[in-house]
Amino acid sequence: FSSGRLLAGGTGPLYVKLRRTLEDAVKVGTLKHGDALPPERDIAEYAAVSRVTVRKAIDDLVAEGVLVRRHGSGTFVAKPVSKVEQRLSQLTSFTEDMARRGMTARSEWLHKGVHTPSPDEMMILGLAAGTKVSRLSRLRIADDQPLAIEHASVSGEFLPDPSTVTSSLYAELEKRQVRPVRAVQRISATNMKEVDAGLLGVPVGAAGLSIERISYLGSGRAVEFTRSLYRGDAYDFVAELTIGA
Ligand code: GLP
């Protein structure tokens, strides 16, 4: 067989033709969203090109977000993400936000533990010396689509044992009668670093929204300090504006 068998027509280097062939396969549905790509060596053999050519074509498609590499499990066709529109003025939880859209929220736990607070946590949460903080890190998923990574620190006084949180942090705080009623939130732009990009299934360097929330009880005591990283392609934050007095 000649080199480049079964590749898309047109001019250009072999890896560009292979990239186009793979893109076409996704467009016409031969390769479906979520499908695993065959191993590089099989693609190389099938298309009669070198593995270097296959690697280059796949690298390009990963950088474009058409394919995603998952460490240890291979390369997959990326799923198109449906955008979530989030109102900025309401103090809601991730679980509630997703339920309102008819989506099912779940989390993968990255960490759960009781710690001696860092100086930042002590200041932000107003913790006295000798008190503890509960830390909860989760990958937040809606309908099987990873949307955000959240690292929450909650004063040990309000949540002494983070293992009591099964799915929703706010539901657990509500049960303990310490659900926050007010919050301050800061949103800034960021680019995804390798580990976060891997967890969220987006290319390294993809746009992200970094969100910090400090939430308070009616009494003014801080309950929660959460740092979140949302997929930039999955979230629109919407605020209603009124003319200032
Ligand atoms: C949002 C907020 C977090 C908050 C979380 C609680 O995602 N950004 O600050 O901790 O909601 O969500 P849940 O109750 O689903 O755990």
Side-chain angles (χ1 to χ4, degrees):
F1 290 107
S2 64
S3 175
R5 156 174 82 111
L6 300 172
L7 292 189
T11 53
L14 278 178
Y15 82 91
V16 175
K17 289 187 180 180
L18 178 58
R19 190 182 70 199
R20 233 179 284 140
T21 307
L22 291 170
E23 262 168 349
D24 289 348
V26 174
K27 265 184 221 146
V28 302
T30 321
L31 279 172
K32 298 197 178 48
H33 300 293
D35 276 0
L37 222 60
E40 279 178 16
R41 104 181 82 79
D42 292 3
I43 300 177
E45 198 176 307
Y46 186 67
V49 296
S50 73
R51 284 186 68 174
V52 177
T53 300
V54 176
R55 177 75 50 88
K56 270 184 102 174
I58 292 179
D59 282 350
D60 270 15
L61 291 171
V62 168
E64 279 172 29
V66 176
L67 301 177
V68 220
R69 274 203 183 96
R70 297 212 190 100
H71 291 293
S73 51
T75 307
F76 296 83
V77 181
K79 289 188 185 155
V81 60
S82 48
K83 268 215 171 191
V84 169
E85 207 168 273
Q86 177 67 46
R87 284 187 61 183
L88 265 180
S89 51
Q90 266 158 13
L91 181 52
T92 48
S93 74
F94 184 86
T95 308
E96 291 164 343
D97 292 338
M98 295 310 127
R100 201 164 301 131
R101 296 185 177 88
M103 296 165 104
T104 309
R106 65 183 181 88
S107 300
E108 257 166 43
W109 286 94
L110 305 172
H111 176 81
K112 225 185 227 191
V114 179
H115 299 267
T116 300
S118 68
D120 265 5
E121 286 169 328
M122 284 187 90
M123 279 200 313
I124 291 167
L125 296 173
L127 301 176
T131 55
K132 296 282 183 194
V133 69
S134 290
R135 290 192 195 138
L136 310 92
S137 293
R138 295 174 286 174
L139 177 63
R140 317 281 337 233
I141 301 163
D143 284 356
D144 291 329
Q145 183 90 47
L147 288 185
I149 298 167
E150 292 200 310
H151 305 284
S153 303
V154 183
S155 162
E157 183 189 332
F158 301 130
L159 184 70
D161 178 7
S163 66
T164 53
V165 179
T166 46
S167 51
S168 164
L169 170 63
Y170 278 17
E172 178 62 23
L173 294 176
E174 187 157 352
K175 223 195 284 170
R176 307 179 67 85
Q177 299 182 329
V178 286
R179 181 174 169 139
V181 295
R182 188 176 71 83
V184 177
Q185 191 158 284
R186 178 195 292 269
I187 303 177
S188 49
T190 185
N191 292 102
M192 300 277 183
K193 308 237 170 19
E194 196 169 346
V195 175
D196 294 333
L199 286 168
L200 291 170
V202 295
V204 174
L209 292 164
S210 162
I211 302 180
E212 280 185 11
R213 181 186 286 186
I214 305 173
S215 57
Y216 301 88
L217 296 179
S219 66
R221 291 283 314 275
V223 183
E224 166 210 21
F225 168 45
T226 296
R227 288 162 298 123
S228 314
L229 177 64
Y230 283 79
R231 283 177 61 159
D233 61 346
Y235 260 78
D236 274 345
F237 285 92
V238 181
E240 190 182 299
L241 309 178
T242 49
I243 195 161

